[in-house]
Amino acid sequence: MLGDVIDLLVCPVCRHDLGLDAGAVRCPRGHSFDVARQGYLNLLSTPVKGDTPEMVGARETFLTKGWFAPIADKVASFAHGVIGDAGAGTGYYLAHAVKERGLALDVSKHALKKAARAHPRIGAVAADVWKPLPVRDAALDTLLNVFAPRNASEFRRVLKPTGTLITVTPNPDHLEPVVERFGLLTVGDEKARRLADTLGDHFARDVTEPVAGWLDLTATEVMSVIAMGPSAWHARAERVGEGARVRMSVQVTVWRPKS
Ligand SMILES: C[S@@+](CC[C@H](N)C(=O)[O-])C[C@H]1O[C@@H](n2cnc3c(N)ncnc32)[C@H](O)[C@@H]1O
């Protein structure tokens, strides 16, 4: 719940502390922010386009089947202490990893509604990773970043010097043959190098572990995989006539903050 994470947050306008009082969130300078009926806090100054209700619904349907549980288990095995998740989506990975308390950050209110309910000690907050995060310096022991955009300098700032950044990135064969058959976005072979380029100024790579396997998906599950992506693909999802054997192939990487 929001009360579990309010001490980790700062006002996005003036960077002072935030307090939760009678269901409202305010800073001492008088800036106030809405807590949605569904339990998430909106700290976005302007709305940002994130995952749509259809994408979030498809993602939740797919993830609750447990097909990506080996990825969630691997991520959880590296996580410790107070955990944030940048681009948390429905909160699936954060809920698996959380031990003390967890902070789900995303721009999609549809995703945040789910994340706010994913675990009793998760607080869900609307925040844009491309802006200064409304999170205190060195507030987090662990930060997750799973198939989501990343902002290296902000990730470094909100992590303790002893903290851990955990990224999950797809390999070029992830979700084949669905990616090729339905013309979804492909993952370039350059992805690993680009990840190192993006994070390398602020983080040193510690370990990378692959998580891979074959998933025997029903036609409905294949449709969910397609519909988890941008809505232009939804029409293609309706053309799925049968199940498929689909590849899961990702890298889970642990990064240490550089001093
Ligand atoms: C591919 S989904 C992954 C969600 C989740 N990590 C998972 O794997 O289930 C990417 C997520 O990043 C969010 N997102 C996109 N742009 C963002 C931004 N600028 N700041 C924060 N979140 C963003 C989307 O709304 C979406 O929930």
Side-chain angles (χ1 to χ4, degrees):
M1 281 167 44
L2 207 46
D4 292 296
V5 298
I6 195 79
D7 63 307
L8 307 174
L9 302 172
V10 293
C11 173
V13 181
C14 64
R15 314 296 293 176
H16 280 75
D17 295 352
L18 287 176
L20 181 61
D21 181 25
V25 168
R26 289 192 190 83
C27 77
R29 294 239 174 133
H31 301 118
S32 67
F33 304 93
D34 292 341
V35 181
R37 199 167 31 89
Q38 298 90 349
Y40 69 89
L41 169 64
N42 187 1
L43 294 182
L44 285 172
S45 43
T46 47
V48 182
K49 202 169 164 341
D51 279 9
T52 62
E54 294 76 21
M55 291 159 75
V56 171
R59 185 169 295 277
E60 185 178 50
T61 303
F62 182 77
L63 289 173
T64 52
K65 293 284 170 73
W67 290 113
F68 282 0
I71 305 174
D73 289 344
K74 181 64 73 184
V75 168
S77 74
F78 291 121
H80 57 105
V82 178
I83 307 174
D85 189 346
T90 60
Y92 175 78
Y93 296 94
L94 182 58
H96 266 69
V98 81
K99 289 152 187 98
E100 296 174 17
R101 53 201 178 121
L103 171 62
L105 303 169
D106 205 289
V107 287
S108 164
K109 65 179 183 183
H110 313 291
L112 290 165
K113 285 180 199 171
K114 309 275 185 194
R117 292 199 303 262
H119 187 284
R121 289 193 306 279
I122 286 180
V125 175
D128 182 357
V129 303
W130 299 124
K131 300 271 169 57
L133 292 172
V135 178
R136 283 177 190 284
D137 294 357
L140 305 175
D141 295 290
T142 303
L143 183 61
L144 313 183
N145 181 247
V146 183
F147 306 124
R150 54 192 75 91
N151 178 338
S153 60
E154 276 300 283
F155 288 4
R156 172 71 189 83
R157 183 185 64 75
V158 301
L159 270 174
K160 292 179 183 161
T162 53
T164 304
L165 170 65
I166 304 170
T167 57
V168 177
T169 47
N171 287 323
D173 59 340
H174 185 52
L175 300 180
E176 286 296 2
V178 173
V179 168
E180 196 187 323
R181 194 175 302 160
F182 291 93
L184 311 190
L185 286 180
T186 55
V187 177
D189 291 331
E190 292 290 283
K191 185 100 179 176
R193 191 182 55 74
R194 282 211 312 274
L195 181 64
D197 287 351
T198 315
L199 295 175
D201 285 348
H202 299 277
F203 291 92
R205 189 193 302 262
D206 186 351
V207 283
T208 295
E209 293 201 9
V211 179
W214 289 99
L215 316 177
D216 288 312
L217 303 185
T218 63
T220 309
E221 289 164 344
V222 173
M223 283 165 66
S224 295
V225 164
I226 299 167
M228 274 157 47
S231 46
W233 297 342
H234 291 186
R236 292 175 197 181
E238 276 148 30
R239 297 210 306 266
V240 176
E242 55 186 15
R245 174 160 253 242
V246 172
R247 185 80 178 145
M248 167 180 67
S249 175
V250 305
Q251 302 284 347
V252 178
T253 304
V254 175
W255 306 81
R256 304 290 172 204
K258 288 184 173 170
S259 49

